[in-house]
Amino acid sequence: MGMAQYKGKVKDIQDTPFGYTLSVIGGKWKMVIIYLLAENEPVRFNDLKRQIGAITYKILSSQLKELERDGMVERKEYPQIPPKVEYRLTEKAKTLLPILEGLCEWGAKNQHP
């Protein structure tokens, strides 16, 4: 199912598979989080924050909750003091990795014209 079958029929982008995809990975940080988890999983919250840098704890927490809600990230909490929480990609999220790899390849070809 591709974009061609929706040509001229889209009244609301959210009603398309593309709209769904954007709702899951859209925004400033979600693809960065997915990329870092793919490179390093499992990752603890503070390590993820350190790797991203310019993100607040509140935003990182909300982005991870949204990714978890959408079935992209798995959160594992260990019952200890201090609390330890690890994040990893789900199998659903891993199906997105070839697309992210394609974006990286596009960037490599077009970054320095």
Side-chain angles (χ1 to χ4, degrees), residues 92-108:
K92 177 181 176 181
K94 289 177 182 176
T95 64
L96 189 61
L97 297 181
I99 296 165
L100 293 182
E101 186 64 38
L103 291 172
C104 287
E105 290 171 13
W106 184 90

Side-chain angles (χ1 to χ4, degrees), residues 33-62:
I33 292 167
I34 291 169
Y35 177 86
L36 290 172
L37 288 175
E39 291 287 314
N40 306 298
E41 70 178 0
V43 180
R44 294 180 66 178
F45 184 89
N46 285 330
D47 292 335
L48 198 52
K49 165 72 173 90
R50 231 181 331 275
Q51 290 175 37
I52 296 172
I55 187 172
T56 66
Y57 288 100
K58 181 179 178 181
I59 296 296
L60 178 57
S61 178
S62 72

